[in-house]
Amino acid sequence: MTEPPLSPTLFDDPGCADRPQPVRVFGGKWTAMVLRCLEDGRARRFTELRVPLHMVTPKVLTETLRAMERDGLVSRTVHDENPPRVEYALTGLGHSLIAPLDTACAWTRAHAPAVTEARETYDTAAGTPA
């Protein structure tokens, strides 16, 4: 018995025809880490976020925060001070991602050894150095 081919409209969402760009791809490389930094509900300054995210360049962190703000996941508040103080906080939409993030992290903890083993097996068979 032949399996049916994959439909070319598999990822088309007719319910989103009124929106110019339906949500298909979510987040960047650092989005989950920013979510973790803000999950306690406190507003944080850019410099505060840089402490645990020291491996992220300031430019990339700025781009990540802007993308998250655009997607409605974080709010950016500029306080009228000298110098201006800018704080970032999760919105309700951003907070709604914490439970799925927890699930993904739990899956990773539970399956990391199997993924590592699969990679090593693949790399050995492909002759690719680990």
Side-chain angles (χ1 to χ4, degrees), residues 5-85:
L6 290 174
S7 168
T9 62
L10 181 64
F11 295 108
D12 290 352
D13 184 0
C16 295
D18 59 328
R19 287 185 277 166
Q21 234 180 354
V23 176
R24 289 199 177 118
V25 177
F26 171 76
K29 182 177 182 179
W30 305 108
T31 300
M33 290 182 179
V34 172
L35 286 168
R36 284 290 182 222
C37 291
L38 297 173
E39 73 179 319
D40 66 0
R42 290 187 50 213
R44 303 280 182 177
R45 295 180 75 166
F46 186 87
T47 54
E48 289 180 274
L49 295 172
R50 290 275 300 134
V51 173
L53 298 172
H54 56 87
M55 70 294 280
V56 184
T57 66
K59 177 183 184 264
V60 171
L61 181 55
T62 297
E63 290 169 352
T64 300
L65 288 165
R66 284 182 183 157
M68 292 177 73
E69 182 182 10
R70 182 175 186 249
D71 289 342
L73 304 178
V74 298
S75 62
R76 180 178 184 269
T77 305
V78 180
H79 298 275
D80 189 22
E81 299 175 359
N82 194 5
R85 180 170 48 102

